[in-house]
Amino acid sequence: MLYIDNLSKFYGRFIAVNNLSLHVPEGDLFGFVGPNGAGKTTTIRMVCGLLCPDRGSIKIGGNSMSVYAEGVKNSLGYVPDFFGVYDNLKVKEYMEFYGSIYGIEDSAIARMTGDLLELVNLKNLEEQYVDTLSRGMKQRLCVARALLHNPKLLVLDEPSSGLDPRARIEMKEVLMNLNSMGKTIIISSHILSDIAEMCTSVGVMNKGVLAAAGKMEDILQLGVNRNHLIIEVGSSMEEAVRHVRELPEVIIDSVMENRIILNMQGDDLAVNRVMISLMTSGVVVRSFRREEQNLETLFMKLTGQAPAGQEASQGGR
Ligand SMILES: Nc1ncnc2c1ncn2[C@@H]1O[C@H](COP(=O)(O)OP(=O)(O)O)[C@@H](O)[C@H]1O
Ligand SMILES: [Mg+2]
C-alpha cells in the first residue's frame, strides 16, 4: 500500500528525516512511535503530499507521490495533529465544507454525513456547533471528514494527543473498527500503550532515523532473546551465586543483599530450566521474576529515553 524509499528532509542544515525506508502493507494498522522531535510529523506530511521531500520517493497504491500527486492524494485521508478553529459552524456544515473541497455533490455529502458520524460515534450531532464539541469528539469528527472521499489509506498524526483516557479508548475503537472494515491506517503517537493495544505493525523512529519496523510481534521479539531474571534468595547467597555461575549461558548482572539479577539468552524453556535447577539445588528461592519485555522497554532501548506517559499527554494544546 505505502512504500517509502530513502526519504530525507532537511530544515536548513538540520536533518529531520534521515534516509527512511518503510513498507506498510494493505490492511495494516501501522503505529509510528517515537519521542517528540523524532520526525514523525515531518514524515507524515511528506506522505500526505503537504511537504516536499529533499530526497527519496513515496508510492501509495503503486502510484508515485511526485508524479500523480493529485490522484495519490485522493487515495488517502489525513487527520492532522491540530484541529483548527471553526467559529459558528455546525457539524453538517463542516462536513459540507470538506466534502465540497473533494468535489463531492451536496446530496451525496448529506447522505454520507449521517453514516460517517455514526461510524465515529457522533450519531445525530449534525446540528451541533463544532466549537461546542469536546476535544475527543472533534478528533473523531476530523476522522469522519477524512473519510468523505472513501480513501483506502487513512493517516492520523497523534490523534490521541491531549485526550482523556475515555476519549482515547473511543478513538482507538473507531480506528480498530475502520481497520477491520478494510482501511489501511497509519497512526503516529508518543503514547505507547495505545499503539501496543491496537496496531498490527509498528515503526520506532528516533532523531530522524527509523530504528526498527515490522510486525508488532516481531518487533517485540527484538529484545526478547535476552532475558533479565530477578531472583530473590532466602538462604546462603554465596551458595546461590556459586550455583548460578555453573549454569550454561547465564551471565550474572549484579548481586545485591538477597537478590541476583541474571542475564541470559534463550526462550521460555531455557528460563524454566534455570528456575528448576535453582529450586532443586537446595537454594531457597523466595521469588523468581522475569523482567517484562514490552513496547516500552524496547522503546527505551532503541531511543535511549522513556516514553511520554499518559500524564504528559493530557496537557492538551
Ligand atoms: N518547519 C520547521 N522548521 C525547522 N525545524 C522543524 C520544522 N518542523 C519540524 N522541525 C524540527 O524537525 C524535527 C522533527 O520534527 P517533527 O517531524 O515535528 O517530529 P515529531 O512529529 O516526531 O515530534 C524537530 O527537531 C523539529 O524541531
Ligand atoms: Mg509530531
Side-chain angles (χ1 to χ4, degrees), residues 11-12 14-17 34-43 81 157-158 188 205:
Y11 294 118
F14 175 77
I15 185 155
V17 174
N36 282 326
K40 304 182 296 293
T41 295
T42 303
T43 305
D81 55 354
D157 196 0
E158 305 263 3
S188 84
M205 199 162 181

Side-chain angles (χ1 to χ4, degrees), residues 6-182:
N6 295 316
L7 191 71
S8 293
K9 180 71 192 176
F10 291 84
Y11 294 118
R13 292 179 61 190
F14 175 77
I15 185 155
V17 174
N18 189 353
N19 210 24
L20 184 149
S21 296
L22 174 70
H23 171 216
V24 178
E26 192 168 343
D28 259 24
L29 208 175
F30 180 88
F32 210 14
V33 299
N36 282 326
K40 304 182 296 293
T41 295
T42 303
T43 305
I44 283 179
R45 290 177 66 83
M46 287 191 280
V47 166
C48 296
L50 298 166
L51 200 60
C52 198
D54 289 315
R55 282 195 217 122
S57 66
I58 298 166
K59 278 187 179 174
I60 298 173
N63 294 320
S64 163
M65 188 43 114
S66 52
V67 183
Y68 300 104
E70 280 314 310
V72 178
K73 282 181 199 170
N74 280 337
S75 64
L76 70 86
Y78 169 55
V79 177
D81 55 354
F82 58 93
F83 183 77
V85 180
Y86 298 91
D87 278 338
N88 291 323
L89 199 67
K90 287 181 177 175
V91 165
K92 70 171 186 195
E93 293 163 345
Y94 172 92
M95 294 293 276
E96 279 163 12
F97 172 69
Y98 278 98
S100 65
I101 289 178
Y102 290 125
I104 305 170
E105 279 180 24
D106 288 354
S107 58
I109 298 172
R111 209 171 44 241
M112 287 158 68
T113 294
D115 292 346
L116 288 172
L117 290 181
E118 188 169 354
L119 201 61
V120 299
N121 244 348
L122 295 174
K123 199 176 171 186
N124 298 334
L125 290 184
E126 282 93 336
E127 298 297 330
Q128 185 126 352
Y129 281 95
V130 169
D131 273 355
T132 64
L133 299 177
S134 72
R135 194 183 162 81
M137 291 161 101
K138 281 180 184 162
Q139 290 288 73
R140 297 203 302 280
L141 177 59
C142 207
V143 172
R145 74 113 169 100
L147 293 169
L148 268 168
H149 59 304
N150 197 19
K152 290 197 183 93
L153 175 66
L154 188 62
V155 184
L156 307 98
D157 196 0
E158 305 263 3
S160 300
S161 173
L163 301 189
D164 62 43
R166 193 187 144 74
R168 291 213 333 247
I169 291 171
E170 278 190 85
M171 175 58 85
K172 197 165 66 187
E173 282 172 359
V174 165
L175 296 181
M176 289 174 81
N177 187 24
L178 285 170
N179 182 240
S180 71
M181 290 165 62

